[in-house]
Each structure stands twice: as C-alpha cells, then as structure tokens.
Amino acid sequence: MTDSRSRPLLTLAFGSVCVLMIIASLAGYVQWLRVRDSVAVIGSNALASIRLVQRMGLDTERERILIDRHIFEHEPERLAALETEIANVEVDLDTASVSYAPLATFRGEAAAWHQLTRDTAALAPRVAAALELSRKDADAEARLALAAAEPIYDAVDNDVTRMVTINQAGADHSLAAIEQLQRDVVELRSVLAGLALIFVIGLGIWVTRTIGRRERQIEHNALALENRNRELDAFAGRVAHDLRGPLNTIKLSGSLLAEQVPDEPRTALILQRGVVQMEQLIEDLLTLSRLDSEAVGQVAQTAAVVALVEDDLQRAARDVGGTLRIDVAPVAVRCSEGLLRQVLWNLGENAVKYRREEVPLELRIDGKASDAEYVLRVSDNGRGMIPNDAHSAFEPFFRAATTKAVPGTGLGLAIVRRIVEANGGRVSLDSVAGRGTTVEVHLRLATG
C-alpha cells in the first residue's frame, strides 16, 4: 500500500511528467512554426533577390539602349525626353541596389552583389562621357565611348546570372537543411521524453526533501526572529522607562542650576535642550516597544482620525507661517485609530521641522481608495532629500547630514513604517532636494 507521505511525491512526479510532455509537445509545435516561417522567409527572400537582380540587369540594358538612341537623335525635345528616361532608369537602378543589400545572406552572395555594384558603378563615368559627346553632336566619338563600355555591360550580365544561380542554390541548400532539422527535432523529442521521465522522478524526490528541510528551517528562523524582536522591543521599553528617573533628576538639577547661577543662561539652555531631546527619544523608543502590544488589525475611520490630528497640525503649520490643506475620502482601513494618528502626526511634524525658511510651508494630506487599498499621501515643499538620504530615510536613528542641526531622534519615519507594515500595508517616499517630499502610505481597506 502506498504510504500517505509518499502520495504528494507521486502526485508531483506524475504532474511534472505531464507538464514536461505538454511542454515537449508545445516545443515541437513551436519548432514546426519556426521551420514553416523559415521556409516562407527563405522563399520570399530568394524570390525578391532574383527579382531585384533581374531588375538591375534590365535597367542596365535599358540604359544602354537609351544612350544608343540618344546618340542617333538630334531633336532637342526628343533628346530631353531620352535624358529624363535615362535619369529615371539610373534612379531605379540605385533603388534596386539599396533594396538588395539586406537580402544578400546566402554563401557568396554578398561578394557577388559587391561585384555587381562595382561594375554598375564603373559604367557611370562612361555613360556620362557618351552622353556628353552625344549632346555635342559628336556621334562617332559617342559611339566609340559606348562601344568601349561593352565589356563592362557584359560583366554586369555575368554578375546578374551568377547572383540568380547563387540564390537558387542557396534556397535549395537551406530547404534541405530545414528538412534535416525537422527530422532531428522529432528524434530529439523522443530521447528527451524518456530522459525527462527519469529526471523528473529523481528531481521530485530531491525537491520534496529539500523543501521539507527548508520549510522547517524557515519556521525555526521565523520563530527565533520573532522572539528576538520581542526581546529587543521589551529591552528598549525597559531602557526607556529606566532612563526617565535619571533624566528627571538631571532636569531638576538643571532648573536648580539656572536659579543658582543666573549669570550662565546659555549653559542652562543647552542643558534644557539636551533634556528635551532625551525625553523625545525616550517617547519614541516607548512607542516602538508598544507597537506589538497594541492591537493590530483594528479598523479606523480615516476622516475621524484626520479630524483628530488636524487641529494640532494646523496650529503647527500656522506657527511657522505655513498652510495645511486636507482632502481625505472617508473610508474604513485596517489600522487602529491611535496608530494611524501617530503616522499622520509624524509625517506632518517632519514637514514642519524640515521646511525651507525662504518659502512658506505648504503641507497637503490627501487620501483616496484605490482597488483594495487606501492611499494616504502627505506632501510638502520643504528641504527634500538627495537620493542616498531618501533611500535610508526609514532606517531607525538615521539623520541626514544636512538636517542634523534640526532637533530630532531619527525614529519618526521608522515608527511610521513599523506601524504601516504591522497592519499589512506599505509605505514609500519620493523626495527631491530643494523641492519637497511626498510620502505615500498604502493601507488595506477594512472591507477588502
């Protein structure tokens, strides 16, 4: 009886054999189509080549006849008409020569074509000389010039005959090679079908075992990584919590120092600024540590969340002489209201902090549903970032060299990405130095 654990393997092997047989059949059909197309191309090229070669030969012969008639003609109107015909023949000869160039693919054909073009080119000065003599009514000299060109006309005829022979032989040789290729394909398919069966069975056994090992390893690594992340978050939370006590002591000591040494306000100000920055860093670390403990997958109403954060952002923008514009469609998304508010506040606060002093801040928050997701776009006309800085913007504690003078912890965008990805979304950033930044947050719709 077949063991239940071996059934997936047998199913995989049988399915793989069926797939390979189908692929082999499709490959044979594709090869047949290619052969058929090759036959059509070869036949078409050979026929076109022969027509063009014969056309060049006829043009050369017609040119000789027209020049001969030109020598015997003395009426100005007829001479003008003959010269027009000669010019048309020369244009047609050049056109045929240019059209033939890409068709010279058979063995020896390119060399023969070059010889033909050289011979036809050699006729040009002799034709011009005969015509010039004919225009001067020096008929005897013109006939001598035309007679001197006879060997070249004969060479052109020989070139045309040679190229027609090459095209016929090349087409026959190519068709024979294609027929042999068809027979080889049939034989190869038979051999490959047998080898494929053996190969697929062995491959199926190896793949099944390998996949099993890899799945167990991935599960183990994922569990270990998750545990480590939790430990790191818990550690960050503990460190942040434990730092509050000493920081409060430093803050109190700074206040006492400012009272006791009123002549050193700069020292007290520096100490106070450092305490504020440490407090902000602690709050950001606590926010990161609480993300996993806060319920993920809750539902938030976008309009309600924006309304909660709008007053604070409006006030922050107005304090720096800027404006805030909001156009958000009311939709339910997969994220808790508190976390979504944190995302909007972090992005809006960044726009205020990293604004350009020379222009008024323009901050926009737009939101609309697209397919099964909701797209929040927060854009500004601030300092922007160079490509390398934009690439690293979401990394924890990253601070661009041009913005290190601006107070901050480097955790704002890292918190945004952590929140969005924890709720099954994604975030992207597009920034141009000196122009501004746009951050797009993609969240799943609650009904999706």
Side-chain angles (χ1 to χ4, degrees):
M1 179 178 291
T2 303
D3 188 79
S4 60
R5 291 174 296 180
S6 66
R7 288 175 185 170
L9 174 60
L10 294 176
T11 302
L12 176 64
F14 178 75
S16 300
V17 170
C18 292
V19 169
L20 275 181
M21 294 302 294
I22 293 173
I23 292 175
S25 299
L26 290 175
Y29 178 69
V30 170
Q31 185 65 27
W32 176 81
L33 289 177
R34 289 178 178 173
V35 170
R36 185 193 65 181
D37 293 342
S38 298
V39 171
V41 169
I42 290 172
S44 176
N45 284 356
L47 183 60
S49 299
I50 292 172
R51 286 176 177 172
L52 288 171
V53 169
Q54 291 176 339
R55 176 175 155 191
M56 293 172 70
L58 290 174
D59 283 341
T60 305
E61 182 63 26
R62 179 168 174 75
E63 183 183 51
R64 180 169 57 178
I65 294 172
L66 290 171
I67 294 172
D68 192 57
R69 289 172 57 187
H70 190 281
I71 294 171
F72 286 97
E73 186 63 57
H74 297 284
E75 294 183 9
E77 293 183 358
R78 289 295 302 157
L79 287 173
L82 287 170
E83 290 196 10
T84 300
E85 287 188 58
I86 292 171
N88 292 336
V89 168
E90 290 177 348
V91 170
D92 187 69
L93 181 62
D94 291 339
T95 302
S97 178
V98 172
S99 300
Y100 190 90
L103 301 177
T105 57
F106 292 129
R107 180 181 300 176
E109 187 177 6
W113 176 73
H114 285 302
Q115 183 60 48
L116 176 59
T117 55
R118 284 194 295 269
D119 289 339
T120 54
L123 281 173
R126 297 180 182 272
V127 167
L131 283 175
E132 185 62 26
L133 291 169
S134 177
R135 293 188 190 102
K136 297 176 181 179
D137 291 333
D139 295 347
E141 290 85 350
R143 282 193 290 273
L144 288 175
L146 188 61
E150 284 298 326
I152 302 178
Y153 281 113
D154 293 339
V156 170
D157 290 338
N158 292 333
D159 293 338
V160 170
T161 302
R162 179 185 173 196
M163 292 184 67
V164 170
T165 302
I166 289 174
N167 275 280
Q168 290 175 340
D172 293 340
H173 177 76
S174 298
L175 291 177
I178 289 173
E179 290 176 357
Q180 181 60 45
L181 179 61
Q182 285 180 305
R183 291 191 292 270
D184 293 343
V185 168
V186 172
E187 294 175 0
L188 181 61
R189 284 178 58 195
S190 301
V191 173
L192 287 178
L195 293 176
L197 179 60
I198 298 173
F199 172 76
V200 167
I201 292 176
L203 180 63
I205 295 173
W206 178 81
V207 168
T208 301
R209 292 177 178 175
T210 302
I211 290 176
R213 288 195 300 269
R214 295 288 173 83
E215 286 180 346
R216 290 191 293 272
Q217 185 65 38
I218 289 173
E219 290 175 359
H220 175 75
N221 291 342
L223 183 60
L225 182 62
E226 185 177 355
N227 289 335
R228 288 181 182 180
N229 284 338
R230 286 184 183 142
E231 290 174 2
L232 286 173
D233 288 342
F235 175 75
R238 288 195 300 271
V239 169
H241 185 272
D242 293 342
L243 284 175
R244 279 184 167 176
L247 189 61
N248 288 333
T249 302
I250 295 172
K251 188 175 182 180
L252 180 59
S253 299
S255 299
L256 294 174
L257 179 64
E259 293 176 0
Q260 295 177 6
V261 190
D263 296 333
E264 294 292 337
R266 185 171 179 275
T267 302
L269 183 62
I270 293 173
L271 185 60
Q272 184 181 10
R273 188 184 303 119
V275 170
V276 171
Q277 188 172 0
M278 282 296 297
E279 287 179 338
Q280 183 60 51
L281 178 61
I282 290 172
E283 288 300 322
D284 287 345
L285 286 173
L286 287 173
T287 299
L288 277 173
S289 67
R290 295 189 191 113
L291 285 179
D292 286 338
S293 61
E294 185 170 342
V296 175
Q298 295 183 10
V299 175
Q301 298 292 333
T302 56
V305 174
V306 171
L308 290 174
V309 76
E310 181 177 3
D311 289 341
D312 294 335
L313 287 179
Q314 193 75 259
R315 187 181 306 108
R318 191 166 48 249
D319 288 345
V320 296
T323 58
L324 170 65
R325 301 182 187 278
I326 296 178
D327 183 11
V328 175
V331 175
V333 295
R334 294 288 181 184
C335 185
S336 71
E337 290 189 355
L339 293 179
L340 184 55
R341 184 182 183 281
Q342 183 75 51
V343 167
L344 292 173
W345 171 253
N346 284 12
L347 295 178
E349 185 185 35
N350 275 357
V352 174
K353 286 198 300 185
Y354 302 113
R355 67 189 182 279
R356 286 182 289 161
E357 299 295 341
E358 66 272 16
V359 296
L361 170 66
E362 294 179 4
L363 174 60
R364 287 190 59 89
I365 300 178
D366 300 293
K368 63 178 181 179
S370 175
D371 297 330
E373 63 179 9
Y374 189 79
V375 181
L376 271 170
R377 183 180 292 106
V378 180
S379 56
D380 62 63
N381 63 338
R383 300 183 183 186
M385 289 179 277
I386 62 175
N388 286 341
D389 291 343
H391 181 73
S392 306
F394 290 103
E395 295 178 4
F397 301 108
F398 174 79
R399 300 294 305 279
T402 57
T403 59
K404 286 186 177 180
V406 180
T409 63
L411 288 173
L413 288 179
I415 292 173
V416 169
R417 183 174 67 175
R418 185 81 173 271
I419 292 172
V420 174
E421 291 180 352
N423 285 276
R426 55 190 174 88
V427 62
S428 62
L429 180 145
D430 182 24
S431 186
V432 179
R435 298 280 299 276
T437 301
T438 298
V439 178
E440 283 194 358
V441 175
H442 297 252
L443 294 170
R444 292 183 302 155
L445 295 175
T447 56

mmCIF file with all atom_site columns, all heavy atoms in Angstrom, residues 44-61:
data_model
loop_
_atom_site.group_PDB
_atom_site.id
_atom_site.type_symbol
_atom_site.label_atom_id
_atom_site.label_alt_id
_atom_site.label_comp_id
_atom_site.label_asym_id
_atom_site.label_entity_id
_atom_site.label_seq_id
_atom_site.pdbx_PDB_ins_code
_atom_site.Cartn_x
_atom_site.Cartn_y
_atom_site.Cartn_z
_atom_site.occupancy
_atom_site.B_iso_or_equiv
_atom_site.pdbx_formal_charge
_atom_site.auth_seq_id
_atom_site.auth_comp_id
_atom_site.auth_asym_id
_atom_site.auth_atom_id
_atom_site.pdbx_PDB_model_num
ATOM 1   N N   . SER A 1 44 ? 10.695 33.735 -49.816 1.00 0.00 ? 44 SER A N   1
ATOM 2   C CA  . SER A 1 44 ? 10.399 35.135 -50.120 1.00 0.00 ? 44 SER A CA  1
ATOM 3   C C   . SER A 1 44 ? 11.661 35.912 -50.439 1.00 0.00 ? 44 SER A C   1
ATOM 4   O O   . SER A 1 44 ? 11.715 36.681 -51.403 1.00 0.00 ? 44 SER A O   1
ATOM 5   C CB  . SER A 1 44 ? 9.664  35.769 -48.928 1.00 0.00 ? 44 SER A CB  1
ATOM 6   O OG  . SER A 1 44 ? 9.458  37.138 -49.152 1.00 0.00 ? 44 SER A OG  1
ATOM 7   N N   . ASN A 1 45 ? 12.726 35.695 -49.620 1.00 0.00 ? 45 ASN A N   1
ATOM 8   C CA  . ASN A 1 45 ? 13.983 36.407 -49.850 1.00 0.00 ? 45 ASN A CA  1
ATOM 9   C C   . ASN A 1 45 ? 14.609 36.017 -51.181 1.00 0.00 ? 45 ASN A C   1
ATOM 10  O O   . ASN A 1 45 ? 15.119 36.869 -51.917 1.00 0.00 ? 45 ASN A O   1
ATOM 11  C CB  . ASN A 1 45 ? 14.964 36.131 -48.718 1.00 0.00 ? 45 ASN A CB  1
ATOM 12  C CG  . ASN A 1 45 ? 14.609 36.899 -47.458 1.00 0.00 ? 45 ASN A CG  1
ATOM 13  O OD1 . ASN A 1 45 ? 13.667 37.693 -47.462 1.00 0.00 ? 45 ASN A OD1 1
ATOM 14  N ND2 . ASN A 1 45 ? 15.333 36.654 -46.392 1.00 0.00 ? 45 ASN A ND2 1
ATOM 15  N N   . ALA A 1 46 ? 14.607 34.721 -51.456 1.00 0.00 ? 46 ALA A N   1
ATOM 16  C CA  . ALA A 1 46 ? 15.203 34.264 -52.709 1.00 0.00 ? 46 ALA A CA  1
ATOM 17  C C   . ALA A 1 46 ? 14.454 34.850 -53.901 1.00 0.00 ? 46 ALA A C   1
ATOM 18  O O   . ALA A 1 46 ? 15.058 35.315 -54.876 1.00 0.00 ? 46 ALA A O   1
ATOM 19  C CB  . ALA A 1 46 ? 15.206 32.737 -52.766 1.00 0.00 ? 46 ALA A CB  1
ATOM 20  N N   . LEU A 1 47 ? 13.109 34.815 -53.848 1.00 0.00 ? 47 LEU A N   1
ATOM 21  C CA  . LEU A 1 47 ? 12.318 35.353 -54.943 1.00 0.00 ? 47 LEU A CA  1
ATOM 22  C C   . LEU A 1 47 ? 12.549 36.862 -55.094 1.00 0.00 ? 47 LEU A C   1
ATOM 23  O O   . LEU A 1 47 ? 12.733 37.364 -56.213 1.00 0.00 ? 47 LEU A O   1
ATOM 24  C CB  . LEU A 1 47 ? 10.833 35.071 -54.685 1.00 0.00 ? 47 LEU A CB  1
ATOM 25  C CG  . LEU A 1 47 ? 9.855  35.521 -55.790 1.00 0.00 ? 47 LEU A CG  1
ATOM 26  C CD1 . LEU A 1 47 ? 10.188 34.824 -57.107 1.00 0.00 ? 47 LEU A CD1 1
ATOM 27  C CD2 . LEU A 1 47 ? 8.415  35.229 -55.375 1.00 0.00 ? 47 LEU A CD2 1
ATOM 28  N N   . ALA A 1 48 ? 12.574 37.581 -53.957 1.00 0.00 ? 48 ALA A N   1
ATOM 29  C CA  . ALA A 1 48 ? 12.801 39.025 -54.014 1.00 0.00 ? 48 ALA A CA  1
ATOM 30  C C   . ALA A 1 48 ? 14.194 39.334 -54.558 1.00 0.00 ? 48 ALA A C   1
ATOM 31  O O   . ALA A 1 48 ? 14.381 40.271 -55.347 1.00 0.00 ? 48 ALA A O   1
ATOM 32  C CB  . ALA A 1 48 ? 12.630 39.638 -52.622 1.00 0.00 ? 48 ALA A CB  1
ATOM 33  N N   . SER A 1 49 ? 15.198 38.522 -54.133 1.00 0.00 ? 49 SER A N   1
ATOM 34  C CA  . SER A 1 49 ? 16.558 38.742 -54.611 1.00 0.00 ? 49 SER A CA  1
ATOM 35  C C   . SER A 1 49 ? 16.651 38.567 -56.122 1.00 0.00 ? 49 SER A C   1
ATOM 36  O O   . SER A 1 49 ? 17.268 39.378 -56.826 1.00 0.00 ? 49 SER A O   1
ATOM 37  C CB  . SER A 1 49 ? 17.520 37.781 -53.902 1.00 0.00 ? 49 SER A CB  1
ATOM 38  O OG  . SER A 1 49 ? 17.519 38.000 -52.512 1.00 0.00 ? 49 SER A OG  1
ATOM 39  N N   . ILE A 1 50 ? 16.051 37.491 -56.622 1.00 0.00 ? 50 ILE A N   1
ATOM 40  C CA  . ILE A 1 50 ? 16.104 37.230 -58.060 1.00 0.00 ? 50 ILE A CA  1
ATOM 41  C C   . ILE A 1 50 ? 15.428 38.359 -58.828 1.00 0.00 ? 50 ILE A C   1
ATOM 42  O O   . ILE A 1 50 ? 15.936 38.834 -59.856 1.00 0.00 ? 50 ILE A O   1
ATOM 43  C CB  . ILE A 1 50 ? 15.452 35.866 -58.372 1.00 0.00 ? 50 ILE A CB  1
ATOM 44  C CG1 . ILE A 1 50 ? 16.326 34.735 -57.802 1.00 0.00 ? 50 ILE A CG1 1
ATOM 45  C CG2 . ILE A 1 50 ? 15.255 35.683 -59.870 1.00 0.00 ? 50 ILE A CG2 1
ATOM 46  C CD1 . ILE A 1 50 ? 15.689 33.370 -57.880 1.00 0.00 ? 50 ILE A CD1 1
ATOM 47  N N   . ARG A 1 51 ? 14.284 38.811 -58.315 1.00 0.00 ? 51 ARG A N   1
ATOM 48  C CA  . ARG A 1 51 ? 13.576 39.903 -58.994 1.00 0.00 ? 51 ARG A CA  1
ATOM 49  C C   . ARG A 1 51 ? 14.415 41.180 -59.025 1.00 0.00 ? 51 ARG A C   1
ATOM 50  O O   . ARG A 1 51 ? 14.488 41.863 -60.052 1.00 0.00 ? 51 ARG A O   1
ATOM 51  C CB  . ARG A 1 51 ? 12.249 40.174 -58.297 1.00 0.00 ? 51 ARG A CB  1
ATOM 52  C CG  . ARG A 1 51 ? 11.188 39.110 -58.556 1.00 0.00 ? 51 ARG A CG  1
ATOM 53  C CD  . ARG A 1 51 ? 9.949  39.410 -57.754 1.00 0.00 ? 51 ARG A CD  1
ATOM 54  N NE  . ARG A 1 51 ? 8.893  38.439 -58.046 1.00 0.00 ? 51 ARG A NE  1
ATOM 55  C CZ  . ARG A 1 51 ? 7.732  38.361 -57.384 1.00 0.00 ? 51 ARG A CZ  1
ATOM 56  N NH1 . ARG A 1 51 ? 7.505  39.214 -56.379 1.00 0.00 ? 51 ARG A NH1 1
ATOM 57  N NH2 . ARG A 1 51 ? 6.836  37.461 -57.706 1.00 0.00 ? 51 ARG A NH2 1
ATOM 58  N N   . LEU A 1 52 ? 15.058 41.492 -57.896 1.00 0.00 ? 52 LEU A N   1
ATOM 59  C CA  . LEU A 1 52 ? 15.859 42.706 -57.845 1.00 0.00 ? 52 LEU A CA  1
ATOM 60  C C   . LEU A 1 52 ? 17.078 42.613 -58.755 1.00 0.00 ? 52 LEU A C   1
ATOM 61  O O   . LEU A 1 52 ? 17.450 43.584 -59.425 1.00 0.00 ? 52 LEU A O   1
ATOM 62  C CB  . LEU A 1 52 ? 16.295 42.981 -56.401 1.00 0.00 ? 52 LEU A CB  1
ATOM 63  C CG  . LEU A 1 52 ? 15.199 43.464 -55.451 1.00 0.00 ? 52 LEU A CG  1
ATOM 64  C CD1 . LEU A 1 52 ? 15.704 43.495 -54.009 1.00 0.00 ? 52 LEU A CD1 1
ATOM 65  C CD2 . LEU A 1 52 ? 14.711 44.852 -55.853 1.00 0.00 ? 52 LEU A CD2 1
ATOM 66  N N   . VAL A 1 53 ? 17.722 41.440 -58.773 1.00 0.00 ? 53 VAL A N   1
ATOM 67  C CA  . VAL A 1 53 ? 18.893 41.264 -59.637 1.00 0.00 ? 53 VAL A CA  1
ATOM 68  C C   . VAL A 1 53 ? 18.495 41.413 -61.106 1.00 0.00 ? 53 VAL A C   1
ATOM 69  O O   . VAL A 1 53 ? 19.165 42.095 -61.893 1.00 0.00 ? 53 VAL A O   1
ATOM 70  C CB  . VAL A 1 53 ? 19.540 39.896 -59.373 1.00 0.00 ? 53 VAL A CB  1
ATOM 71  C CG1 . VAL A 1 53 ? 20.590 39.594 -60.448 1.00 0.00 ? 53 VAL A CG1 1
ATOM 72  C CG2 . VAL A 1 53 ? 20.194 39.880 -58.013 1.00 0.00 ? 53 VAL A CG2 1
ATOM 73  N N   . GLN A 1 54 ? 17.403 40.743 -61.475 1.00 0.00 ? 54 GLN A N   1
ATOM 74  C CA  . GLN A 1 54 ? 16.940 40.853 -62.857 1.00 0.00 ? 54 GLN A CA  1
ATOM 75  C C   . GLN A 1 54 ? 16.544 42.293 -63.189 1.00 0.00 ? 54 GLN A C   1
ATOM 76  O O   . GLN A 1 54 ? 16.782 42.773 -64.294 1.00 0.00 ? 54 GLN A O   1
ATOM 77  C CB  . GLN A 1 54 ? 15.764 39.909 -63.081 1.00 0.00 ? 54 GLN A CB  1
ATOM 78  C CG  . GLN A 1 54 ? 16.165 38.440 -63.048 1.00 0.00 ? 54 GLN A CG  1
ATOM 79  C CD  . GLN A 1 54 ? 14.972 37.504 -63.175 1.00 0.00 ? 54 GLN A CD  1
ATOM 80  O OE1 . GLN A 1 54 ? 13.838 37.904 -62.909 1.00 0.00 ? 54 GLN A OE1 1
ATOM 81  N NE2 . GLN A 1 54 ? 15.229 36.267 -63.577 1.00 0.00 ? 54 GLN A NE2 1
ATOM 82  N N   . ARG A 1 55 ? 15.975 42.972 -62.213 1.00 0.00 ? 55 ARG A N   1
ATOM 83  C CA  . ARG A 1 55 ? 15.602 44.367 -62.417 1.00 0.00 ? 55 ARG A CA  1
ATOM 84  C C   . ARG A 1 55 ? 16.834 45.236 -62.662 1.00 0.00 ? 55 ARG A C   1
ATOM 85  O O   . ARG A 1 55 ? 16.840 46.101 -63.546 1.00 0.00 ? 55 ARG A O   1
ATOM 86  C CB  . ARG A 1 55 ? 14.842 44.858 -61.179 1.00 0.00 ? 55 ARG A CB  1
ATOM 87  C CG  . ARG A 1 55 ? 14.457 46.332 -61.197 1.00 0.00 ? 55 ARG A CG  1
ATOM 88  C CD  . ARG A 1 55 ? 13.609 46.585 -59.972 1.00 0.00 ? 55 ARG A CD  1
ATOM 89  N NE  . ARG A 1 55 ? 13.630 47.964 -59.525 1.00 0.00 ? 55 ARG A NE  1
ATOM 90  C CZ  . ARG A 1 55 ? 13.137 48.378 -58.364 1.00 0.00 ? 55 ARG A CZ  1
ATOM 91  N NH1 . ARG A 1 55 ? 12.626 47.502 -57.524 1.00 0.00 ? 55 ARG A NH1 1
ATOM 92  N NH2 . ARG A 1 55 ? 13.165 49.647 -58.028 1.00 0.00 ? 55 ARG A NH2 1
ATOM 93  N N   . MET A 1 56 ? 17.919 44.980 -61.918 1.00 0.00 ? 56 MET A N   1
ATOM 94  C CA  . MET A 1 56 ? 19.151 45.724 -62.126 1.00 0.00 ? 56 MET A CA  1
ATOM 95  C C   . MET A 1 56 ? 19.740 45.434 -63.497 1.00 0.00 ? 56 MET A C   1
ATOM 96  O O   . MET A 1 56 ? 20.235 46.331 -64.189 1.00 0.00 ? 56 MET A O   1
ATOM 97  C CB  . MET A 1 56 ? 20.162 45.372 -61.026 1.00 0.00 ? 56 MET A CB  1
ATOM 98  C CG  . MET A 1 56 ? 19.748 45.855 -59.631 1.00 0.00 ? 56 MET A CG  1
ATOM 99  S SD  . MET A 1 56 ? 20.826 45.235 -58.315 1.00 0.00 ? 56 MET A SD  1
ATOM 100 C CE  . MET A 1 56 ? 22.314 46.169 -58.668 1.00 0.00 ? 56 MET A CE  1
ATOM 101 N N   . GLY A 1 57 ? 19.681 44.152 -63.901 1.00 0.00 ? 57 GLY A N   1
ATOM 102 C CA  . GLY A 1 57 ? 20.179 43.800 -65.226 1.00 0.00 ? 57 GLY A CA  1
ATOM 103 C C   . GLY A 1 57 ? 19.384 44.466 -66.334 1.00 0.00 ? 57 GLY A C   1
ATOM 104 O O   . GLY A 1 57 ? 19.948 44.978 -67.311 1.00 0.00 ? 57 GLY A O   1
ATOM 105 N N   . LEU A 1 58 ? 18.034 44.463 -66.175 1.00 0.00 ? 58 LEU A N   1
ATOM 106 C CA  . LEU A 1 58 ? 17.182 45.099 -67.174 1.00 0.00 ? 58 LEU A CA  1
ATOM 107 C C   . LEU A 1 58 ? 17.407 46.608 -67.213 1.00 0.00 ? 58 LEU A C   1
ATOM 108 O O   . LEU A 1 58 ? 17.402 47.213 -68.292 1.00 0.00 ? 58 LEU A O   1
ATOM 109 C CB  . LEU A 1 58 ? 15.709 44.791 -66.875 1.00 0.00 ? 58 LEU A CB  1
ATOM 110 C CG  . LEU A 1 58 ? 15.276 43.330 -67.100 1.00 0.00 ? 58 LEU A CG  1
ATOM 111 C CD1 . LEU A 1 58 ? 13.848 43.127 -66.618 1.00 0.00 ? 58 LEU A CD1 1
ATOM 112 C CD2 . LEU A 1 58 ? 15.392 42.954 -68.583 1.00 0.00 ? 58 LEU A CD2 1
ATOM 113 N N   . ASP A 1 59 ? 17.593 47.216 -66.029 1.00 0.00 ? 59 ASP A N   1
ATOM 114 C CA  . ASP A 1 59 ? 17.852 48.660 -66.003 1.00 0.00 ? 59 ASP A CA  1
ATOM 115 C C   . ASP A 1 59 ? 19.145 48.989 -66.734 1.00 0.00 ? 59 ASP A C   1
ATOM 116 O O   . ASP A 1 59 ? 19.228 49.985 -67.478 1.00 0.00 ? 59 ASP A O   1
ATOM 117 C CB  . ASP A 1 59 ? 17.933 49.148 -64.551 1.00 0.00 ? 59 ASP A CB  1
ATOM 118 C CG  . ASP A 1 59 ? 16.556 49.270 -63.909 1.00 0.00 ? 59 ASP A CG  1
ATOM 119 O OD1 . ASP A 1 59 ? 15.566 49.325 -64.656 1.00 0.00 ? 59 ASP A OD1 1
ATOM 120 O OD2 . ASP A 1 59 ? 16.482 49.312 -62.664 1.00 0.00 ? 59 ASP A OD2 1
ATOM 121 N N   . THR A 1 60 ? 20.170 48.154 -66.523 1.00 0.00 ? 60 THR A N   1
ATOM 122 C CA  . THR A 1 60 ? 21.450 48.396 -67.197 1.00 0.00 ? 60 THR A CA  1
ATOM 123 C C   . THR A 1 60 ? 21.301 48.278 -68.704 1.00 0.00 ? 60 THR A C   1
ATOM 124 O O   . THR A 1 60 ? 21.807 49.105 -69.485 1.00 0.00 ? 60 THR A O   1
ATOM 125 C CB  . THR A 1 60 ? 22.503 47.412 -66.695 1.00 0.00 ? 60 THR A CB  1
ATOM 126 O OG1 . THR A 1 60 ? 22.598 47.495 -65.268 1.00 0.00 ? 60 THR A OG1 1
ATOM 127 C CG2 . THR A 1 60 ? 23.861 47.713 -67.284 1.00 0.00 ? 60 THR A CG2 1
ATOM 128 N N   . GLU A 1 61 ? 20.593 47.242 -69.146 1.00 0.00 ? 61 GLU A N   1
ATOM 129 C CA  . GLU A 1 61 ? 20.394 47.035 -70.590 1.00 0.00 ? 61 GLU A CA  1
ATOM 130 C C   . GLU A 1 61 ? 19.554 48.165 -71.173 1.00 0.00 ? 61 GLU A C   1
ATOM 131 O O   . GLU A 1 61 ? 19.843 48.671 -72.282 1.00 0.00 ? 61 GLU A O   1
ATOM 132 C CB  . GLU A 1 61 ? 19.716 45.688 -70.824 1.00 0.00 ? 61 GLU A CB  1
ATOM 133 C CG  . GLU A 1 61 ? 19.503 45.336 -72.289 1.00 0.00 ? 61 GLU A CG  1
ATOM 134 C CD  . GLU A 1 61 ? 20.828 45.190 -73.033 1.00 0.00 ? 61 GLU A CD  1
ATOM 135 O OE1 . GLU A 1 61 ? 21.849 44.872 -72.394 1.00 0.00 ? 61 GLU A OE1 1
ATOM 136 O OE2 . GLU A 1 61 ? 20.824 45.405 -74.269 1.00 0.00 ? 61 GLU A OE2 1
#
